[in-house]
């Protein structure tokens, strides 16, 4: 089998309510859908988050295309090395979502060529369903309380809330409201996205711990691991690394510093599914659990991750997902996308060959059109956020 073309379609899908983090807001997400065509008539699917922008992803895909067209898509290790080393992309982190989308499409092609689901290539089903957290948008306390109730009703085990974008009093008010709405059994994971200084982080987390936290995610800079370890040593709540653990080499550094109790791993930030499995293995060797991170994904990327997470024991906590925020998806059937597709916060491993998902042409056309007309509303490129977030750390 040979690759004949790499096709890319950016799409924009709206949220129910704005996603707000320490450095901006967006009203939906943009993903680039990738279709890898072959001379045997099979097409593999991949998806790249628009990170840092759809234009960067599209540019990276155009650069990668001559490296992969004509190649055997089932020589996946060779293909990703060609992109990284021959294509000299290995020093450029921004290329990773594009490379990961092509790599994922090759796993889809492998599965379609032999009639097996991708989970079978990564160790087989360790679990039949993959659990996700319920993403609670950081809005007014009353809205946060209502969303906590919705999460509990939907059967979620953990709610996720961004902190660090506003004053500590506001964060405390939101976490208190979330506990009130979601009830005593709900895990609450807070993510500061590096917004705090070490001293501020310790003070803030101790106040938030009054309401019971499951984990605190990246409270301080991801680039100062001794300080991350210092903060971890002074908190009772387990610390989840994220911005400090994008790649395998980053994860190794976090482990060497004893800087986290759990690590986020992400197939889009480190070249694809094979490296996602390797990331989990590195952390498993250190005795630590991992959580699947998401830059904001639709059904293709979610399905890809579900296959690997289902096959890997140390994904023991609810993973990052956008089901509570998204209004729709681009794949056929009830997979990914809105919360209605989840059962108790869980998605089943797709049974079909490859990734086991298909694009819905009508929805792809609709959301590609929305990208063409309104892309600016769906990115974090909000100039007003600069005034609210002048520097790292914020305080
Ligand atoms: Mg995070």
């Amino acid at each position: 089998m040979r690759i004949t073309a790499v096709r890319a379609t950016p799409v924009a899908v709206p949220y129910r309510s704005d996603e707000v983090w320490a450095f901006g807001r967006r009203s939906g997400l943009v993903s680039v859908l990738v279709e890898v065509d072959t001379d045997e008539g099979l097409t593999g699917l991949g998806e790249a988050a628009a990170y840092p922008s759809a234009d960067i992803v599209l540019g990276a895909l155009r650069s990668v295309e001559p490296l992969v067209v004509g190649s055997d898509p089932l020589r996946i290790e060779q293909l990703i090395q060609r992109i990284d080393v021959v294509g000299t992309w290995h020093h450029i982190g921004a290329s990773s979502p594009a490379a990961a989308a092509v790599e994922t499409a090759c796993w889809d092609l492998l599965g379609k060529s032999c009639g097996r689901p991708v989970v079978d290539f990564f160790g087989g089903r360790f679990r039949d369903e993959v659990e996700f957290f319920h993403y609670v948008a950081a809005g007014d306390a009353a809205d946060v309380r209502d969303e906590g109730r919705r999460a509990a009703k939907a059967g979620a085990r953990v709610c996720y809330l961004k902190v660090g974008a506003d004053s500590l009093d506001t964060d405390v008010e939101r976490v208190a409201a979330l506990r009130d709405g979601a009830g005593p059994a709900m895990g609450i994971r807070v993510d500061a996205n590096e917004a705090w200084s070490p001293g501020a982080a310790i003070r803030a987390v101790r106040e938030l711990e009054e309401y019971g936290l499951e984990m605190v995610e990246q409270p301080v800079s991801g680039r100062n691991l001794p300080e991350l370890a210092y903060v971890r040593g002074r908190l009772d709540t387990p610390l989840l690394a994220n911005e400090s653990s994008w790649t395998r080499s980053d994860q190794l550094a976090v482990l060497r510093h004893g800087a986290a109790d759990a690590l986020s791993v992400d197939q889009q930030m480190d070249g694809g599914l094979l490296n996602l499995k390797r990331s989990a293995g590195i952390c498993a060797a250190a005795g630590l659990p991992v959580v699947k991170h998401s830059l904001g994904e639709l059904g293709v990327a979610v399905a890809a991750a579900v296959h690997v997470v289902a096959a890997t024991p140390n994904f023991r906590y609810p993973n990052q997902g956008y089901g509570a925020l998204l209004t729709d998806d681009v794949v056929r059937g009830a997979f990914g996308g809105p919360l209605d597709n989840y059962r108790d916060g869980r998605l089943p491993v797709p049974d079909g060959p490859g990734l086991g998902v298909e694009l819905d042409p009508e929805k792809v056309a609709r959301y590609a059109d929305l990208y063409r007309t309104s892309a600016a509303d769906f990115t974090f490129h909000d100039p007003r956020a600069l005034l609210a977030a002048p520097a790292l750390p914020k305080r």
Side-chain angles (χ1 to χ4, degrees):
M1 196 187 310
R2 298 285 161 189
I3 295 174
T4 54
V6 176
R7 293 179 285 130
T9 309
V11 292
V13 178
Y15 289 144
R16 290 173 57 244
S17 50
D18 282 4
E19 180 182 21
V20 185
W21 73 317
F23 306 101
R25 70 168 57 221
R26 61 179 176 176
S27 58
L29 66 80
V30 173
S31 264
V32 179
L33 303 173
V34 173
E35 292 169 273
V36 174
D37 295 327
T38 65
D39 59 357
E40 294 189 10
L42 290 176
T43 294
L45 290 180
E47 178 187 333
Y51 186 88
S53 73
D55 287 339
I56 294 283
V57 171
L58 292 168
L61 285 167
R62 277 196 300 275
S63 297
V64 158
E65 194 171 10
L67 296 165
V68 302
V69 168
S71 300
D72 180 349
L74 308 190
R75 295 191 181 204
I76 295 172
E77 190 81 79
Q78 189 184 77
L79 187 137
I80 204 75
Q81 285 289 305
R82 187 177 299 128
I83 292 171
D84 272 358
V85 181
V86 179
T88 66
W89 281 105
H90 56 303
H91 293 303
I92 305 169
S95 67
S96 185
V102 173
E103 190 255 17
T104 296
C106 292
W107 288 108
D108 190 34
L109 285 166
L110 173 58
K112 286 171 172 167
S113 70
C114 65
R116 303 299 308 174
V118 167
V119 66
D120 287 357
F121 309 133
F122 286 90
R125 291 162 181 258
F126 178 80
R127 49 180 74 85
D128 293 319
E129 296 175 322
V130 169
E131 188 173 10
F132 294 87
F133 63 48
H134 187 105
Y135 196 140
V136 176
D140 294 340
D143 294 336
V144 169
R145 186 178 291 107
D146 288 346
E147 195 63 23
R149 287 196 188 100
R150 179 172 177 250
K153 197 172 164 197
R157 213 159 50 100
V158 168
C159 283
Y160 169 91
L161 180 68
K162 297 281 194 191
V163 291
D166 298 293
S167 72
L168 179 54
D169 287 346
T170 303
D171 284 337
V172 170
E173 190 184 2
R174 286 189 184 125
V175 170
L178 181 54
R179 173 59 67 209
D180 186 39
M186 184 68 74
I188 296 178
R189 189 180 302 172
V190 293
D191 186 357
N193 291 106
E194 310 178 286
W196 291 320
S197 65
I202 292 165
R203 179 178 161 222
V205 175
R206 283 181 181 163
E207 287 202 33
L208 299 175
E209 279 174 338
E210 295 289 315
Y211 301 93
L213 298 179
E214 177 235 20
M215 287 198 265
V216 57
E217 186 168 330
Q218 202 67 54
V220 298
S221 170
R223 286 161 290 277
N224 189 349
L225 296 179
E227 285 297 328
L228 189 62
Y230 170 90
V231 170
R232 178 196 171 212
R234 281 155 184 77
L235 298 178
D236 291 331
T237 300
L239 191 152
L240 173 62
N242 174 192
E243 281 85 350
S244 53
S245 64
W246 288 132
T247 67
R248 286 153 294 148
S249 50
D250 293 339
Q251 291 143 22
L252 202 53
V254 169
L255 297 175
R256 283 184 176 136
H257 281 84
D261 298 285
L263 286 82
S264 293
V265 293
D266 186 330
Q267 82 270 17
Q268 299 219 31
M269 292 300 282
D270 198 21
L273 301 182
L274 201 49
N275 287 342
L276 181 66
K277 183 78 179 183
R278 288 180 173 129
S279 289
I282 289 168
C283 298
L288 294 185
V290 289
V291 169
K292 189 277 189 271
H293 174 266
S294 173
L295 295 160
E297 293 168 330
L298 300 171
V300 176
V302 171
V306 160
H307 284 284
V308 178
V309 172
T312 309
N314 63 327
F315 285 92
R316 290 205 297 267
Y317 295 92
N319 299 282
Q320 183 161 10
Y322 281 71
L325 287 182
L326 280 166
T327 56
D328 206 353
D329 207 303
V330 292
V331 297
R332 288 186 198 276
F335 189 86
L339 193 61
D340 292 350
N341 294 339
Y342 293 71
R343 190 181 62 191
D344 293 336
R346 295 163 194 268
L347 287 173
V349 183
D351 283 323
L355 298 180
V357 291
E358 284 177 55
L359 296 176
D360 180 325
E362 187 273 324
K363 288 186 176 181
V364 171
R366 184 193 313 164
Y367 295 118
D369 194 45
L370 190 59
Y371 173 79
R372 279 191 291 273
T373 57
S374 315
D377 294 338
F378 297 87
T379 73
F380 281 118
H381 299 163
D382 173 4
R384 292 165 299 179
L386 193 61
L387 296 176
L392 285 168
K394 287 186 70 183
R395 57 170 92 88

